[in-house]
């Protein structure tokens, strides 16, 4: 165990908070981890081929999360807007490949203090809704990642100014929807020959 950079494995659920923080130092997540208590996550988190699950009122102070090797950040409950007015945005770095943000069915995760950066692909999964607010819409962050955006399930609502969305489009599956996806055209009816 390295106290300066602890690594969690084997599906550990963190249940004990230290002061006001569940985590206030660097953490590497190599296996599924669930934060099940109300508290604050601060510091740097590396999620590598694993699922970091947020539940029960966990909030974030400014943090950096790096998602790599098909990692997943899952919201298992509603996650309300948390913009700390005047603060700096947290950063989620999407490393190469598909990195997934999952929102559970019936839940809404509203992110208004996060910048998404990196070269990876942003994949929205889960039947819930992910809402994103950039700095032009009352949030603090920006969408600066260069990978593609895919909506495999549920909804992705991006409330962003033209600077953030000029080149941002999404591909939506039959089970996903987003204001970034091009409208689907209904096929024209076959001509009737009399």
């Amino acid at each position: 165990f390295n106290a300066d950079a602890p690594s969690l494995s084997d599906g550990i659920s963190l249940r004990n908070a230290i002061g006001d923080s569940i985590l206030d130092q660097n953490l590497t997540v190599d296996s599924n981890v669930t934060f099940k208590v109300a508290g604050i996550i601060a510091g740097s988190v590396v999620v590598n081929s694993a699922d970091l699950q947020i539940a029960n009122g966990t909030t974030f102070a400014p943090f950096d999360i790096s998602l790599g090797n098909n990692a997943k950040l899952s919201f298992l409950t509603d996650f309300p807007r948390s913009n700390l007015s005047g603060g700096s945005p947290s950063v989620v770095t999407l490393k190469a490949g598909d990195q997934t943000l999952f929102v559970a069915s019936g839940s809404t995760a509203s992110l208004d203090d996060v910048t998404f950066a990196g070269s990876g692909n942003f994949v929205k999964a889960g039947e819930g809704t992910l809402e994103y607010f950039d700095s032009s819409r009352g949030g603090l962050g920006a969408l600066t990642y260069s990978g593609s955006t895919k909506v495999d399930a549920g909804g992705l609502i991006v409330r962003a100014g033209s600077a953030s969305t000029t080149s941002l489009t999404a591909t939506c599956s039959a089970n996903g929807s987003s204001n970034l996806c091009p409208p689907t055209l209904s096929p024209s009816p076959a001509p009737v020959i009399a």
Side-chain angles (χ1 to χ4, degrees):
F1 178 76
N2 179 345
D4 293 325
S7 178
L8 298 178
S9 59
D10 302 323
I12 294 172
S13 292
L14 296 180
R15 295 181 183 268
N16 297 321
I18 300 170
D20 290 333
S21 296
I22 293 174
L23 170 68
D24 57 7
Q25 57 188 334
N26 298 336
L27 174 71
T28 299
V29 178
D30 291 318
S31 186
N32 296 349
V33 174
T34 304
F35 289 99
K36 291 188 173 184
V37 297
I40 298 172
I41 297 174
S44 176
V45 180
V46 176
V47 183
N48 192 18
S49 300
D51 185 3
L52 177 61
Q53 301 173 345
I54 308 301
N56 296 341
T58 301
T59 58
F60 292 102
F63 66 92
D64 292 316
I65 291 181
S66 177
L67 300 175
N69 294 319
N70 298 311
K72 186 191 278 186
L73 176 59
S74 295
F75 295 93
L76 305 180
T77 187
D78 286 330
F79 192 80
R81 290 184 73 173
S82 60
N83 182 338
L84 305 172
S85 182
S88 60
S90 299
V91 177
V92 175
T93 300
L94 306 173
K95 293 188 175 181
D98 288 350
Q99 312 310 329
T100 301
L101 274 80
F102 173 93
V103 181
S105 179
S107 295
T108 298
S110 296
L111 303 178
D112 62 356
D113 58 354
V114 176
T115 288
F116 286 93
S119 62
N121 301 323
F122 180 112
V123 179
K124 163 56 184 74
E127 296 301 318
T129 300
L130 178 64
E131 253 186 332
Y132 178 82
F133 299 83
D134 81 350
S135 58
S136 71
R137 298 293 189 263
L140 296 175
L143 302 173
T144 63
Y145 63 95
S146 60
S148 65
T149 305
K150 304 172 190 176
V151 183
D152 288 347
L156 171 63
I157 301 168
V158 176
R159 301 184 194 286
S162 59
S164 288
T165 60
T166 301
S167 61
L168 188 62
T169 60
T171 303
C172 289
S173 74
N175 296 322
S177 65
S178 175
N179 59 325
L180 298 179
C181 291
T184 56
L185 300 176
S186 301
S188 299
V192 177
I193 302 176

